[in-house]
Every structure is written in C-alpha cells, then in structure tokens.
Amino acid sequence: QVQLQESGPGLVKSSQTLSLICTVSGDSITTSHLAWSWLRQPPGKGLEWMGVLAYDGSTYYNSSLKSRTSISRDTSKNQFFLQLSSVTPEDTAVYYCACADGLRTGVTDREKYDFWGQGTQVTVSS
C-alpha cells in the first residue's frame, strides 16, 4: 500500500514561490512505471492537473502552468516536490499529490489514480 503525505506552508504571499513536499512510503518513487502527480482544487472548482514526475525522472507539465511550475525529487528521501512561482490569490487551493501506474498526463479523474495524499490547503494572500 502506497501512502503519500503533502507538507508545506499553508499561507504564501502573492508573488512568492509556493513549495510543497510529497513524502512517499510503501514503494519507491523510482519503481518502474510509477508516476507521481501534483493536482489542485481551488475553492468551488474542479481538480486541475499541474504536472507529473515519472519514475525515470522525466517531467510533464500543464501547459497553462508550465512557465511557473517545477517538479523535482530527492530519491534518497523518497520525496518529490512542487514549486509554483509568482503566485497570486488565484493559486489558492487544496494541493494533492497522487500516484498512478503509468503517466496520467492531464487526467483529473480521481479514479484514474491509484493512491492520493490527503491534500494540503494553501492560501495565497494578496
């Protein structure tokens, strides 16, 4: 059973960089075919897929966020990271990390992912 846990500051000021950590247990983030995604859900809106880190370290991003988003990893700690720069109040959302067997590029259907973190609320102040 894979478990994911998001962590990071709950409040970020506008124009700053949002940084989140997803700590994984139960499997390695380098296990073949596994992919590790970041998604978010703004208040009153649906899920938005932000990007994915494949087991081999390759990354893919939502084109609308690509210029501001970076996903990276620390294999020694079995963690992967999200950085979102130049945030505005529109980036206020619950942020989730998720795992799937295979890339889920652009996928926002929860059932298409095998495991989810509980989510972490991030509020961007103006």
Side-chain angles (χ1 to χ4, degrees):
Q1 182 84 356
V2 177
Q3 294 184 325
L4 302 94
Q5 178 65 59
E6 305 92 346
S7 59
L11 184 63
V12 182
K13 294 181 180 179
S14 288
S15 80
Q16 292 186 340
T17 295
L18 180 163
S19 297
L20 296 176
I21 301 170
C22 184
T23 301
V24 178
S25 60
D27 210 331
S28 170
I29 61 173
T30 62
T31 296
S32 183
H33 301 299
L34 294 185
W36 309 89
S37 294
W38 286 100
L39 302 95
R40 67 181 182 178
Q41 187 165 19
K45 298 183 179 180
L47 276 172
E48 178 180 32
W49 179 80
M50 301 183 70
V52 62
L53 170 73
Y55 69 96
D56 62 358
S58 56
T59 52
Y60 306 86
Y61 298 106
N62 183 327
S63 58
S64 68
L65 298 170
K66 186 175 182 178
S67 64
R68 299 196 291 130
T69 307
S70 177
I71 298 175
S72 58
R73 67 181 183 175
D74 184 335
T75 57
S76 68
K77 295 182 179 180
N78 216 35
Q79 295 175 327
F80 64 106
F81 313 106
L82 173 71
Q83 288 193 311
L84 182 66
S85 63
S86 304
V87 296
T88 71
E90 290 188 349
D91 293 308
T92 294
V94 177
Y95 285 75
Y96 297 93
C97 54
C99 171
D101 185 354
L103 292 175
R104 297 289 185 268
T105 308
V107 173
T108 57
D109 183 348
R110 283 183 172 271
E111 293 185 0
K112 299 297 184 183
Y113 294 87
D114 300 304
F115 301 100
W116 288 81
Q118 65 182 23
T120 186
Q121 172 71 47
V122 178
T123 300
V124 179
S125 62
S126 56

